[in-house]
Amino acid sequence: MSTSSTEAPAVPDLVRVFGGPVVTMLARADEALLGDVVDSIGGPVHVREIVQRRDRWTLAGDPPGRIARSTAGAPWPGTAEPLLRRTLPAHDKIRIRRSVRYFGRLKGHAQDVRSHNPVKHGCYTRVDGYTAACSCGWKAKDVYASKGKASEAWLGHKAGQFTEAAYADNSALLWVDSTEVVHPHLPHVPWTFKKIVSGPRHGQGIAEASLDTLTLDQTRRVMAAWQTVLDADNRETFEEYFPGRDDTPRGPRPGHTRLRLSGDGGGNARVILTADIDGPPAEETEGGPVSAEPRLTVKPSSARYAEELRLNPGKASADGHAGWACGAGASLLAGAETPGPGRLGTHHGVIYVCIGHQAAAEERIVGAGYEPRVDPAPPSHRWDPWPCGHVTAYSTAALAALSAQPGPDEARDLASPHRAPDAAEDAER
């Protein structure tokens, strides 16, 4: 899991931007207003331009709090083009942050601002401040210096009621807001929200984001970052390349890569990130491979866990390291096997390797007397890879043979293809 930081959060201080309390809610794209703050792939957008087309809306603006820039050579108040844009179907539900001053009366909530500790002195009354309360029973704990400050405290309560109602309606909205506060440096994504309306997960909120406008490498980085805060579903998380050319109603389409990250965010929320990007992976571009394989990154938590396993091996398996220095994540599983006794043979251990160390791993396995079997790592291993060279063995003999520090011959057990001599054989010699 990533940790929070003292640097600027993903969403700036919107109370300062709006000049008062802020309501977080879900609304259709065609319900957005000038001055709202919405999400985009580049970050929050303080909307100052709305373009309506037949079935799509474009919301454009600048990061919240940014001063409007003037166009070179144009008289004031001409402004430059917006820095950020988001185009989406008019009926998609998106997260909108809006000033509470745009909202009318709320049933059951009436403002009650009163003088605190009033004392009459002749023809005037002296007060020690003002208190704020609501007809619903809410009371502010603080005493405010002016009626305006007390009134704004009540507006904060009113904004909270609208926001809590939005959270109750869609659990995914609450999860996204909470996650951005706890992990402020997660990449920005353009969220849309839905709900499951039938089945065993009825009422569960869904937060979706399409990353089609990013490059393949950028998409991988964004998904890898968000996976650290999700309980990923490996059955629905994948990356697939489809070679071209496909005939579509809009004409032939070249090869494309589809990526999907799906998982549970907790609090009855489902999170889905998708991308469908034209073009082949880097290793299949014209002119030969640019790189043998995208370099997988090992998370610090995974590296620490692998080190703990090597220091404290379990009873059913033991962990070690092949001995070479490589900081890449493992994209291949090099298994050490022997024939029989069953039809599938016996699996003795595995070395997790990158493509660059595949030959070294096979040589180590063959030299140990096993048969190598190299398979691509499954999607779950690619999202959270083991360090290259990590060894998991199922016998002391296999661990000694595959790791960098082979043990004495007497450490080998019956699972090894190299059986240690017994006492009768020693006597015959």
Side-chain angles (χ1 to χ4, degrees):
M1 303 286 285
S2 59
T3 57
S4 59
S5 171
T6 57
E7 298 181 19
V11 178
D13 184 4
L14 295 182
V15 173
R16 181 181 59 82
V17 172
F18 286 125
V22 182
V23 174
T24 299
M25 64 179 189
L26 295 182
R28 299 189 330 183
D30 57 4
E31 295 173 337
L33 303 176
L34 293 175
D36 288 346
V37 171
V38 300
D39 299 310
S40 78
I41 198 67
V45 180
H46 198 186
V47 178
R48 62 179 175 90
E49 178 182 287
I50 299 177
V51 179
Q52 177 185 0
R53 296 179 178 86
R54 184 181 64 179
D55 58 348
R56 301 183 75 82
W57 283 56
T58 297
L59 308 176
D62 304 306
R66 186 182 180 93
I67 299 175
R69 299 157 295 118
S70 62
T71 306
W76 186 261
T79 55
E81 287 295 315
L83 295 174
L84 301 172
R85 294 179 180 272
R86 182 179 179 186
T87 301
L88 68 166
H91 299 288
D92 275 7
K93 277 200 170 184
I94 60 175
R95 177 175 60 169
I96 290 178
R97 275 69 64 92
R98 180 180 295 172
S99 172
V100 71
R101 302 184 192 280
Y102 281 88
F103 294 80
R105 297 180 62 183
L106 181 60
K107 185 177 181 180
H109 297 269
Q111 177 177 306
D112 183 10
V113 174
R114 298 185 181 185
S115 302
H116 175 67
N117 192 23
V119 178
K120 190 171 183 62
H121 291 280
C123 60
Y124 69 93
T125 301
R126 177 183 177 184
V127 298
D128 290 338
Y130 296 85
T131 59
C134 183
S135 60
C136 69
W138 171 85
K139 292 183 179 180
K141 296 180 180 179
D142 299 328
V143 177
Y144 301 93
S146 66
K147 287 184 178 180
K149 292 292 185 182
S151 178
E152 188 156 319
W154 177 82
L155 285 176
H157 164 71
K158 178 181 176 182
Q161 296 302 305
F162 283 107
T163 301
E164 290 296 331
Y167 288 160
D169 183 62
N170 194 304
S171 56
L173 176 63
L174 173 60
W175 182 85
V176 169
D177 270 15
S178 303
T179 302
E180 287 183 345
V181 171
V182 178
H183 308 282
H185 299 291
L186 287 171
H188 303 288
V189 292
W191 295 111
T192 58
F193 295 86
K194 299 178 182 177
K195 287 175 61 177
I196 299 176
V197 297
S198 63
R201 294 189 173 185
H202 171 72
Q204 184 175 14
I206 304 176
E208 293 184 316
S210 174
L211 309 179
D212 293 353
T213 59
L214 298 179
T215 65
L216 190 56
D217 287 340
Q218 289 173 334
T219 302
R220 287 170 175 158
R221 287 195 293 270
V222 170
M223 289 188 175
W226 277 95
Q227 193 187 19
T228 62
V229 298
L230 290 177
D231 181 12
D233 184 349
N234 294 329
R235 297 171 300 175
E236 299 185 21
T237 297
F238 60 83
E239 176 180 336
E240 296 180 320
Y241 174 64
F242 297 85
R245 306 178 61 93
D246 294 338
D247 292 328
T248 69
R250 298 181 180 180
R253 184 183 185 185
H256 54 280
T257 302
R258 291 180 184 171
L259 304 95
R260 177 184 173 94
L261 170 62
S262 178
D264 291 320
N268 202 30
R270 190 74 175 174
V271 182
I272 303 172
L273 300 177
T274 62
D276 195 348
I277 302 171
D278 287 348
E283 62 269 22
E284 298 185 20
T285 53
E286 295 182 0
V290 175
S291 60
E293 182 189 39
R295 183 181 176 89
L296 303 183
T297 303
V298 180
K299 301 173 186 175
S301 58
S302 299
R304 288 193 299 269
Y305 181 57
E307 184 63 26
E308 290 176 5
L309 289 178
R310 292 195 286 269
L311 295 176
N312 304 289
K315 295 180 180 179
S317 64
D319 296 80
H321 198 278
W324 50 72
C326 180
S331 59
L332 301 173
L333 308 182
E337 301 183 353
T338 53
R343 296 178 60 184
L344 299 179
T346 302
H347 181 68
H348 297 279
V350 62
I351 304 177
Y352 299 86
V353 293
C354 65
I355 284 184
H357 285 93
Q358 177 181 352
E362 292 180 353
E363 182 179 355
R364 175 71 60 84
I365 293 171
V366 172
Y370 302 108
E371 295 180 0
R373 175 179 174 177
V374 180
D375 297 306
S380 60
H381 283 251
R382 287 178 169 269
W383 290 115
D384 188 4
W386 283 106
C388 176
H390 180 75
V391 174
T392 296
Y394 300 98
S395 68
T396 55
L399 178 63
L402 298 179
S403 63
Q405 295 83 22
D409 290 341
E410 57 269 18
R412 300 185 182 274
D413 61 14
L414 296 178
S416 172
H418 307 291
R419 185 171 59 88
D422 56 22
E425 293 175 343
D426 289 338
E428 293 178 359
R429 294 176 184 174

